[in-house]
Amino acid sequence: MKTSIIGYPRIGSLRELKFASEKYFKGEISSEELRETARKLRYENLEIQRKSGIDLIPSNDFSFYDGMLDTAVLLNALPERYADLGLSELDTYFAAARGYQGEKGDVKALAMKKWFNTNYHYMVPEFCDDTDIRLVGSKPFDLFAEAQHNGVKTKPVIIGAYTFLKLSRFMGTKKAEDFAEKTAAAYAEILSRFAAENAEWIQLDEPCLVMDMDESDKKLFVGLYEKILGSKGNLKVLLQTYFGDVRDCYSDICKLPFDGVGLDFVEGKKTLELVLHKGFPKDKVLFAGVVNGKNIWRNNYAKTLEIIGKITLNCGEIVLNTSCSLLHVPYTLENEAKLTNDVKKHFAFAKEKLGELAELKKITSLENPKDAPEYKTNSALMSESRSGENAAVRSRVNGLSEKDHTRLPEFSEREKIQKKRFALPLFPTTTIGSFPQTAEVRKARSDYKKGAISEQQYDEFMKNKIKDCIELQEKIGLDVLVHGEFERNDMVEYFGECLDGYIFTEKAWVQSYGTRCVKPPVVWGDISRAKPMTVKWSKFAQSCTEKPVKGMLTGPVTILNWSFPREDISLRESALQIALAIRDEVLDLEANGISIIQVDEAALREKLPLRRSDWKSDYLDWAIPAFRLVHSGVKPETQIHTHMCYSEFADIITDIDNMDADAITFEASRSDLTILDVLKANDFRTEVGPGVYDIHSPRVPSKDEIKTALRKMLDRIPSEKLWVNPDCGLKTRGEAETVPSLENLVNAAKELRDENK
């Protein structure tokens, strides 16, 4: 069997692309220096895959920011407002990704959304009625030629036509179907050109095929590819799916003249059933996604061989593949100097997964695969038991009942009590939690971890930063303050470090969006709270002001979704363990005088099954109760906030209301406040703060821009329920952008109060 991967991490083993890009944004390096860094990273990736023995190596899986954005540029689908700035090609691209504010104009970035059920974010292409879809770019061809120059004939990778249209926004009267003909023609031209350049395979990524599809969806998909595939010539076309199964369109896929089909045997619940019961065309190559591209645990060769053995009877040629792009796991274990070998032997990051594919290729070539030394070593590893079981934690979870998930009194009575207690003005202003983390702050944390400064010195530094942050917020005029979160490296990693049952990496970074990378902790054993995690800092911050200071926590579902989870127990079990730990922290904050507590669930929707039929039984039936468990024990006068960002909320808005928080803030600015209509249509009872400006862009919003957004909100949200806030935390922004933005936010809210007296 040959081997293949869907894609490889593009940030570099030590985040070289991130740092080079950020230097470019600051004007510290030239565009050519940035491009040279990118060339080196692509060459390094190519060499790693070549030396590992991967047979079908991808190209064009590299991006300076995002693959969907790259496809929009390739197909002339970038809105004219970016070209009208008159910037260079690269800067026009970054303007669409990050927004632009300068002497040549002021434009917001494209909308940004979560990439299916991952923590990666993609840029949402915009179609106007006059958008002229056609092939104008050359990036896939350039990178194919670059790899060929370096001695490797690659498998070019491009977002498929169906997924590109389904994930785009249509700003006028036309819909996806109206652009199908020109889109198909553009993709047909791509295939013709690669055929002329003697490419053997091209990979068209179609993850949208694992979503629920109705007849119109299937008609769009089939219609596109009937036109596209007529131009492939001798080029072999791989239809690559991932993140689930293709139960709605499997028969259509089998009938179309694809040369290969990539199916996910890890997350695809019905993938094996489809292949076994419906068969697989003998004239197509099955790219079997059997190596998990989203989690970091070693592959269980026995289970994988069992799957391969079953599908071999029904298929012709099989290629061993990853379940999705390796973009979603860290680069390599080689940078982890502090993890012991007893721990590391259980993990496989991107580079190590290449080794797993090589071993599986060798094992499956043998007459007796179980005699292979690699198989025996893997079997011994899988039979080992890991430490970390905590009987007290499991007993506590097993003892939970319905009343543990129910807060009393009910919402409307609490709302009255809290209005009287806090006496906040109309349109109260606040932020989501974090303030800019300067190099000085990061150095202090690093020095403390290394022992270069004492705990007393560290505490003194942090208290001074918190005090300055409180004074700044009071000067700006915010109504509900935060302590700034200077002690936190990441909203999940920080809490993982404070909980028993987690282990941590040094350099296991994963791209979240653009230059933003996260370092997910690993759930190793049962989770519990050994001691208070945030009380000291929140209590000190509250002592610095008469205004309420929010206690800031991350919720159990987000902590779990932004970690690498265990595979030996259910996600439900892990979520409830974490929820009990956060519940203990909430009650400690309340006991220490913190009257408003925000429990962020930024990733609530992230692991929601992609198919609606699986929502309740698989996810929401435990995710919502896990959040309710966190706050069900607080007093009625304690106000519970939560926050969510960069997801589609419309279809679960009732479930979000049932989280029974007292106030919720949403990311909304990049989606043109489309959440507002959903809130109104569902009589959303929770007080709400849709973000009035985008913190992921360096732009400073004007006061009038914020007032315009607030007026839109007031058309759909009762004035007494509306909060005013940015759309996310300010950690990644600079102070020069943060202060004027918040000043404009506060002044906009004050002027609106005067207008609504």
Side-chain angles (χ1 to χ4, degrees), residues 478-547:
L478 291 160
D479 299 305
V480 175
L481 314 185
V482 297
H483 79 283
E485 303 181 16
F486 302 108
E487 78 283 4
R488 303 184 191 183
N489 45 11
D490 176 81
M491 66 180 291
V492 171
E493 187 177 11
Y494 174 81
F495 287 97
E497 289 174 343
C498 297
L499 294 168
D500 289 341
Y502 267 99
I503 60 175
F504 307 91
T505 60
E506 291 177 85
K507 297 180 173 63
W509 296 97
V510 179
Q511 185 179 22
S512 178
Y513 65 86
T515 61
R516 169 71 170 156
C517 300
V518 294
K519 189 153 59 72
V522 181
V523 184
W524 180 263
D526 292 332
I527 302 298
S528 61
R529 189 191 75 144
K531 59 183 179 181
M533 302 178 284
T534 66
V535 173
K536 176 172 69 173
W537 306 119
S538 296
K539 187 176 179 181
F540 174 76
Q542 187 61 78
S543 73
C544 297
T545 180
E546 296 297 318
K547 290 185 174 183

Coordinates of all heavy atoms in Angstrom, one line a residue, residues 478-547:
L478 N -14.8 52.5 31.9 CA -15.6 51.3 31.9 C -16.4 51.0 33.1 O -16.0 51.4 34.2 CB -14.6 50.1 31.6 CG -14.0 50.1 30.2 CD1 -12.7 49.2 30.2 CD2 -15.0 49.6 29.2
D479 N -17.5 50.3 33.0 CA -18.4 50.1 34.2 C -18.0 48.8 35.0 O -18.1 48.8 36.2 CB -19.8 50.1 33.7 CG -20.2 51.3 33.0 OD1 -20.1 52.4 33.7 OD2 -20.7 51.3 31.9
V480 N -17.8 47.8 34.3 CA -17.4 46.5 34.9 C -16.0 46.2 34.4 O -15.7 46.1 33.2 CB -18.4 45.4 34.5 CG1 -17.9 44.0 35.1 CG2 -19.8 45.7 35.1
L481 N -15.1 46.0 35.4 CA -13.6 45.9 35.1 C -13.2 44.4 35.1 O -13.9 43.5 35.5 CB -12.8 46.7 36.1 CG -13.4 48.1 36.4 CD1 -12.4 48.9 37.3 CD2 -13.6 48.9 35.1
V482 N -11.9 44.3 34.6 CA -11.3 43.0 34.6 C -9.9 43.2 35.2 O -9.4 44.3 35.2 CB -11.2 42.3 33.2 CG1 -12.6 42.0 32.7 CG2 -10.4 43.2 32.3
H483 N -9.2 42.1 35.6 CA -7.9 42.3 36.2 C -6.8 42.2 35.1 O -5.6 42.5 35.4 CB -7.6 41.3 37.3 CG -7.3 39.9 36.8 ND1 -8.2 39.0 36.4 CD2 -6.1 39.2 36.8 CE1 -7.6 37.8 36.1 NE2 -6.3 38.0 36.3
G484 N -7.1 41.8 33.9 CA -6.2 41.9 32.8 C -5.5 40.5 32.4 O -5.0 40.4 31.3
E485 N -5.5 39.5 33.3 CA -5.0 38.2 33.0 C -3.6 38.2 32.6 O -3.1 37.3 31.8 CB -5.9 37.5 31.9 CG -7.4 37.5 32.3 CD -8.2 36.8 31.2 OE1 -7.6 36.1 30.3 OE2 -9.4 36.9 31.2
F486 N -2.8 39.0 33.2 CA -1.3 39.1 32.9 C -0.6 37.8 33.3 O 0.5 37.5 32.8 CB -0.7 40.3 33.6 CG -1.4 41.6 33.1 CD1 -2.1 42.3 34.0 CD2 -1.2 42.1 31.9 CE1 -2.8 43.5 33.6 CE2 -1.8 43.2 31.5 CZ -2.6 43.9 32.4
E487 N -1.1 37.1 34.3 CA -0.5 35.9 34.8 C -0.7 34.7 33.9 O -0.1 33.6 34.1 CB -1.0 35.6 36.2 CG -2.4 34.9 36.3 CD -3.5 35.9 36.1 OE1 -3.3 37.1 35.8 OE2 -4.7 35.4 36.2
R488 N -1.5 34.9 32.9 CA -2.0 33.7 32.1 C -1.3 33.7 30.7 O -1.3 34.6 30.0 CB -3.5 33.8 31.9 CG -4.3 33.8 33.2 CD -5.7 33.8 33.0 NE -6.4 34.1 34.3 CZ -7.7 34.1 34.5 NH1 -8.5 33.7 33.5 NH2 -8.2 34.4 35.7
N489 N -0.7 32.5 30.4 CA -0.1 32.3 29.1 C -1.2 32.0 28.1 O -1.1 32.4 26.9 CB 0.8 31.1 29.2 CG 0.3 29.9 29.9 OD1 -0.9 29.8 30.2 ND2 1.1 29.0 30.2
D490 N -2.3 31.4 28.4 CA -3.4 31.0 27.5 C -4.6 30.7 28.4 O -4.5 30.2 29.5 CB -2.9 29.8 26.7 CG -4.1 29.3 25.8 OD1 -4.2 29.9 24.7 OD2 -4.8 28.3 26.2
M491 N -5.8 31.0 27.8 CA -7.0 30.8 28.6 C -7.3 29.3 28.9 O -8.2 29.1 29.8 CB -8.2 31.4 27.9 CG -8.6 30.8 26.6 SD -10.0 31.6 25.8 CE -11.3 31.2 26.9
V492 N -6.7 28.4 28.2 CA -6.8 27.0 28.6 C -5.6 26.4 29.3 O -5.7 25.8 30.3 CB -7.2 26.2 27.3 CG1 -7.2 24.7 27.7 CG2 -8.6 26.5 26.8
E493 N -4.4 26.7 28.7 CA -3.2 26.2 29.3 C -3.0 26.6 30.7 O -2.6 25.8 31.5 CB -2.0 26.6 28.4 CG -0.7 25.9 28.8 CD 0.5 26.3 27.9 OE1 0.3 27.3 27.1 OE2 1.5 25.7 28.1
Y494 N -3.4 27.8 31.0 CA -3.2 28.3 32.4 C -4.0 27.5 33.4 O -3.5 27.1 34.4 CB -3.7 29.8 32.5 CG -3.7 30.3 33.9 CD1 -2.5 30.8 34.5 CD2 -4.8 30.3 34.7 CE1 -2.5 31.2 35.8 CE2 -4.8 30.8 36.0 CZ -3.7 31.2 36.5 OH -3.7 31.7 37.8
F495 N -5.2 27.2 33.0 CA -6.1 26.4 34.0 C -5.6 24.9 34.0 O -5.6 24.3 35.0 CB -7.5 26.5 33.6 CG -8.1 27.8 33.9 CD1 -8.2 28.8 32.9 CD2 -8.5 28.1 35.2 CE1 -8.7 30.0 33.2 CE2 -9.0 29.3 35.5 CZ -9.1 30.3 34.5
G496 N -5.1 24.4 32.8 CA -4.6 23.1 32.8 C -3.4 23.0 33.8 O -3.3 21.9 34.5
E497 N -2.6 24.0 33.8 CA -1.4 24.0 34.7 C -1.8 24.0 36.2 O -1.0 23.6 37.1 CB -0.5 25.2 34.4 CG 0.2 25.1 33.1 CD 1.0 26.3 32.7 OE1 0.7 27.4 33.3 OE2 1.9 26.2 31.9
C498 N -3.0 24.5 36.5 CA -3.5 24.6 37.8 C -4.3 23.3 38.3 O -4.8 23.3 39.4 CB -4.4 25.8 38.0 SG -3.5 27.4 37.8
L499 N -4.6 22.4 37.3 CA -5.4 21.3 37.6 C -4.6 20.0 37.6 O -3.6 19.9 36.9 CB -6.5 21.1 36.5 CG -7.5 22.2 36.5 CD1 -8.4 22.1 35.2 CD2 -8.4 22.2 37.7
D500 N -4.9 19.1 38.5 CA -4.3 17.8 38.5 C -4.9 17.0 37.4 O -6.1 17.0 37.1 CB -4.5 17.1 39.8 CG -3.7 17.7 41.0 OD1 -2.8 18.4 40.7 OD2 -4.1 17.5 42.1
G501 N -4.0 16.2 36.7 CA -4.5 15.3 35.6 C -4.1 15.8 34.2 O -4.3 15.1 33.2
Y502 N -3.5 17.0 34.1 CA -3.0 17.5 32.9 C -1.5 17.3 32.8 O -0.8 17.4 33.8 CB -3.3 19.0 32.7 CG -4.6 19.3 32.0 CD1 -5.7 19.5 32.7 CD2 -4.7 19.3 30.6 CE1 -6.9 19.8 32.1 CE2 -5.9 19.6 30.0 CZ -7.0 19.8 30.7 OH -8.2 20.1 30.1
I503 N -0.9 17.2 31.6 CA 0.5 17.4 31.3 C 0.7 18.4 30.2 O -0.2 18.7 29.5 CB 1.2 16.1 31.0 CG1 0.6 15.4 29.7 CG2 1.1 15.1 32.1 CD1 1.3 14.2 29.3
F504 N 1.9 19.0 30.1 CA 2.1 20.1 29.2 C 3.4 19.9 28.4 O 4.3 19.3 28.8 CB 2.3 21.4 30.1 CG 1.1 21.5 31.0 CD1 1.2 21.0 32.3 CD2 0.0 22.1 30.6 CE1 0.1 21.1 33.1 CE2 -1.1 22.2 31.4 CZ -1.1 21.7 32.7
T505 N 3.3 20.6 27.2 CA 4.4 20.5 26.3 C 5.1 21.9 26.4 O 4.7 22.8 26.9 CB 3.9 20.3 24.9 OG1 3.0 21.4 24.5 CG2 3.2 19.0 24.8
E506 N 6.3 21.9 25.7 CA 7.1 23.1 25.6 C 6.8 23.9 24.3 O 6.6 25.1 24.3 CB 8.6 22.8 25.7 CG 9.1 22.3 27.1 CD 10.6 22.0 27.0 OE1 11.4 22.9 27.1 OE2 10.9 20.8 26.7
K507 N 6.8 23.2 23.2 CA 6.8 23.8 21.9 C 5.8 23.1 21.0 O 5.9 23.2 19.8 CB 8.2 23.8 21.3 CG 9.2 24.6 22.1 CD 10.5 24.6 21.5 CE 11.5 25.5 22.2 NZ 11.8 25.2 23.6
A508 N 4.7 22.5 21.6 CA 3.7 21.8 20.7 C 2.7 22.8 20.3 O 1.5 22.7 20.6 CB 3.1 20.7 21.5
W509 N 3.0 23.8 19.4 CA 2.1 24.8 19.0 C 1.3 24.3 17.8 O 1.7 23.6 16.9 CB 2.9 26.0 18.5 CG 3.7 26.7 19.7 CD1 5.0 26.5 20.0 CD2 3.2 27.6 20.7 NE1 5.3 27.2 21.1 CE2 4.2 27.9 21.5 CE3 1.9 28.1 20.9 CZ2 4.1 28.7 22.6 CZ3 1.8 29.0 22.0 CH2 2.8 29.3 22.8
V510 N 0.1 24.8 17.8 CA -0.9 24.5 16.7 C -1.5 25.8 16.2 O -1.9 26.7 17.0 CB -2.0 23.5 17.2 CG1 -3.0 23.3 16.1 CG2 -1.4 22.2 17.7
Q511 N -1.6 26.0 14.9 CA -2.2 27.2 14.4 C -3.7 27.3 14.6 O -4.4 26.3 14.4 CB -1.9 27.3 12.8 CG -2.3 28.6 12.2 CD -2.1 28.6 10.7 OE1 -1.9 27.6 10.1 NE2 -2.0 29.8 10.2
S512 N -4.1 28.4 15.1 CA -5.5 28.7 15.4 C -6.1 29.6 14.2 O -7.1 29.3 13.7 CB -5.7 29.4 16.7 OG -7.1 29.7 16.9
Y513 N -5.4 30.7 13.9 CA -5.7 31.5 12.7 C -4.5 32.4 12.4 O -3.8 32.8 13.4 CB -7.0 32.3 12.9 CG -6.8 33.4 14.0 CD1 -6.3 34.6 13.7 CD2 -7.2 33.1 15.3 CE1 -6.1 35.6 14.7 CE2 -7.0 34.1 16.3 CZ -6.5 35.3 16.0 OH -6.3 36.3 17.0
G514 N -4.2 32.6 11.2 CA -3.2 33.5 10.8 C -1.9 33.3 11.6 O -1.3 32.2 11.5
T515 N -1.5 34.3 12.3 CA -0.2 34.1 13.1 C -0.5 33.7 14.6 O 0.4 33.6 15.4 CB 0.5 35.4 13.2 OG1 -0.3 36.4 13.8 CG2 0.9 35.9 11.8
R516 N -1.8 33.5 14.9 CA -2.2 33.1 16.2 C -2.0 31.5 16.4 O -2.6 30.8 15.7 CB -3.6 33.5 16.5 CG -4.2 32.9 17.8 CD -3.7 33.5 19.0 NE -4.4 33.1 20.2 CZ -4.0 33.0 21.4 NH1 -2.7 33.4 21.7 NH2 -4.8 32.7 22.4
C517 N -1.1 31.1 17.3 CA -0.9 29.7 17.6 C -1.3 29.4 19.1 O -1.1 30.3 20.0 CB 0.5 29.3 17.4 SG 1.0 29.6 15.7
V518 N -1.7 28.2 19.4 CA -2.0 27.8 20.7 C -1.3 26.6 21.0 O -0.8 25.8 20.1 CB -3.6 27.6 20.9 CG1 -4.3 28.9 20.7 CG2 -4.1 26.5 19.9
K519 N -1.1 26.3 22.3 CA -0.4 25.1 22.8 C -1.3 24.3 23.7 O -1.2 24.5 24.9 CB 0.9 25.6 23.5 CG 1.9 24.5 23.9 CD 3.3 25.0 23.9 CE 3.5 26.1 25.0 NZ 3.4 25.6 26.4
P520 N -2.1 23.5 23.1 CA -3.1 22.7 23.9 C -2.5 21.8 24.9 O -1.5 21.1 24.6 CB -3.9 21.9 22.8 CG -3.6 22.6 21.5 CD -2.2 23.1 21.7
P521 N -3.0 21.9 26.2 CA -2.5 20.9 27.1 C -3.1 19.5 26.8 O -4.0 19.4 26.0 CB -3.0 21.5 28.5 CG -4.2 22.3 28.1 CD -4.0 22.8 26.7
V522 N -2.6 18.5 27.5 CA -3.0 17.2 27.3 C -3.7 16.6 28.5 O -3.1 16.6 29.6 CB -1.7 16.3 26.9 CG1 -2.2 14.8 26.7 CG2 -1.0 16.9 25.8
V523 N -4.9 16.1 28.3 CA -5.6 15.4 29.4 C -5.0 14.0 29.6 O -5.2 13.2 28.7 CB -7.1 15.3 29.1 CG1 -7.8 14.7 30.4 CG2 -7.7 16.7 28.8
W524 N -4.3 13.8 30.7 CA -3.5 12.6 30.9 C -4.3 11.6 31.8 O -4.3 10.4 31.6 CB -2.2 12.9 31.5 CG -1.3 11.7 31.7 CD1 -1.1 11.1 32.9 CD2 -0.5 11.0 30.8 NE1 -0.3 10.0 32.8 CE2 0.1 10.0 31.5 CE3 -0.2 11.2 29.4 CZ2 1.0 9.1 30.9 CZ3 0.6 10.3 28.8 CH2 1.3 9.2 29.5
G525 N -4.9 12.2 32.9 CA -5.6 11.4 33.8 C -6.9 12.1 34.3 O -7.4 13.0 33.6
D526 N -7.5 11.6 35.4 CA -8.7 12.2 35.9 C -8.3 13.6 36.4 O -7.3 13.9 37.0 CB -9.2 11.4 37.1 CG -9.8 10.1 36.6 OD1 -10.2 10.0 35.4 OD2 -9.8 9.1 37.4
I527 N -9.3 14.6 36.2 CA -9.0 16.0 36.5 C -9.6 16.4 37.8 O -10.8 16.1 38.1 CB -9.7 16.9 35.4 CG1 -9.1 16.5 34.0 CG2 -9.4 18.4 35.6 CD1 -7.6 16.7 33.9
S528 N -8.9 17.2 38.6 CA -9.4 17.8 39.8 C -8.6 19.0 40.1 O -7.5 19.3 39.6 CB -9.2 16.8 41.0 OG -7.8 16.5 41.2
R529 N -9.2 19.9 41.0 CA -8.5 21.1 41.4 C -7.8 20.9 42.8 O -8.5 20.6 43.8 CB -9.6 22.2 41.5 CG -9.0 23.6 41.8 CD -10.1 24.6 42.2 NE -10.5 24.5 43.5 CZ -10.8 25.4 44.4 NH1 -10.8 26.7 43.9 NH2 -11.2 25.2 45.6
A530 N -6.5 21.1 42.8 CA -5.8 20.9 44.0 C -5.8 22.1 44.9 O -5.8 22.0 46.1 CB -4.3 20.6 43.6
K531 N -6.0 23.3 44.3 CA -6.0 24.6 45.1 C -6.6 25.7 44.3 O -6.8 25.5 43.1 CB -4.6 25.0 45.5 CG -3.6 25.2 44.3 CD -2.2 25.5 44.8 CE -1.3 25.7 43.6 NZ 0.1 26.0 44.0
P532 N -7.0 26.8 44.9 CA -7.6 27.9 44.1 C -6.6 28.3 43.0 O -5.4 28.3 43.2 CB -7.7 29.0 45.2 CG -7.9 28.3 46.4 CD -7.0 27.1 46.3
M533 N -7.2 28.8 41.9 CA -6.4 29.0 40.7 C -6.4 30.5 40.3 O -5.4 31.0 39.8 CB -7.0 28.3 39.5 CG -7.1 26.8 39.7 SD -7.8 25.9 38.3 CE -9.6 26.2 38.5
T534 N -7.4 31.3 40.7 CA -7.5 32.7 40.3 C -7.9 33.6 41.4 O -7.9 34.8 41.2 CB -8.6 32.8 39.2 OG1 -9.9 32.6 39.7 CG2 -8.3 31.9 38.0
V535 N -8.2 33.1 42.6 CA -8.7 33.8 43.6 C -7.8 35.0 44.1 O -8.2 36.1 44.3 CB -9.1 32.9 44.8 CG1 -9.5 33.8 46.0 CG2 -10.2 32.0 44.5
K536 N -6.5 34.7 44.2 CA -5.6 35.7 44.7 C -5.6 36.9 43.8 O -5.6 38.0 44.3 CB -4.2 35.1 44.7 CG -3.1 36.0 45.1 CD -1.7 35.4 45.3 CE -1.1 34.8 44.1 NZ 0.3 34.3 44.3
W537 N -5.5 36.7 42.5 CA -5.4 37.9 41.6 C -6.7 38.6 41.5 O -6.8 39.8 41.5 CB -5.0 37.4 40.2 CG -3.8 36.6 40.2 CD1 -3.6 35.3 39.8 CD2 -2.5 37.0 40.6 NE1 -2.3 34.8 39.9 CE2 -1.6 35.9 40.4 CE3 -1.9 38.1 41.2 CZ2 -0.2 35.9 40.7 CZ3 -0.6 38.2 41.5 CH2 0.3 37.1 41.3
S538 N -7.9 37.9 41.5 CA -9.2 38.6 41.4 C -9.5 39.3 42.7 O -10.0 40.5 42.6 CB -10.3 37.5 41.2 OG -10.1 36.9 39.9
K539 N -9.1 38.8 43.8 CA -9.3 39.4 45.1 C -8.5 40.7 45.2 O -9.0 41.8 45.6 CB -9.0 38.5 46.2 CG -9.3 39.0 47.6 CD -9.0 37.9 48.7 CE -9.4 38.4 50.1 NZ -9.1 37.4 51.1
F540 N -7.3 40.6 44.7 CA -6.4 41.9 44.8 C -7.0 42.9 43.8 O -7.1 44.1 44.2 CB -5.0 41.5 44.4 CG -4.1 42.7 44.2 CD1 -3.6 43.4 45.3 CD2 -3.8 43.3 42.9 CE1 -2.9 44.5 45.2 CE2 -3.1 44.4 42.8 CZ -2.6 45.1 43.9
A541 N -7.4 42.5 42.6 CA -7.9 43.5 41.7 C -9.2 44.2 42.2 O -9.3 45.4 42.1 CB -8.3 42.8 40.4
Q542 N -10.0 43.4 42.9 CA -11.3 44.0 43.5 C -10.9 45.0 44.6 O -11.6 46.0 44.8 CB -12.2 42.9 44.0 CG -13.5 43.4 44.4 CD -14.3 44.1 43.3 OE1 -14.9 43.4 42.5 NE2 -14.4 45.4 43.3
S543 N -9.8 44.7 45.3 CA -9.4 45.7 46.4 C -8.9 47.0 45.8 O -8.8 48.0 46.6 CB -8.3 45.0 47.2 OG -7.1 45.0 46.5
C544 N -8.6 47.1 44.5 CA -8.1 48.3 43.9 C -9.2 49.3 43.4 O -8.9 50.3 42.9 CB -7.2 48.0 42.8 SG -5.7 47.0 43.2
T545 N -10.5 48.9 43.5 CA -11.5 49.7 43.0 C -12.8 49.5 43.7 O -13.1 48.4 44.3 CB -11.7 49.4 41.5 OG1 -12.7 50.2 40.9 CG2 -12.0 47.9 41.2
E546 N -13.7 50.5 43.6 CA -15.1 50.3 44.1 C -16.0 49.7 43.0 O -17.1 49.2 43.3 CB -15.7 51.7 44.5 CG -14.9 52.4 45.6 CD -15.1 51.6 46.9 OE1 -16.2 51.0 47.2 OE2 -14.0 51.4 47.6
K547 N -15.6 49.7 41.8 CA -16.4 49.1 40.7 C -16.3 47.6 40.7 O -15.2 47.1 41.2 CB -15.9 49.6 39.3 CG -16.3 51.1 39.1 CD -15.9 51.5 37.7 CE -16.4 53.0 37.4 NZ -16.1 53.4 36.0

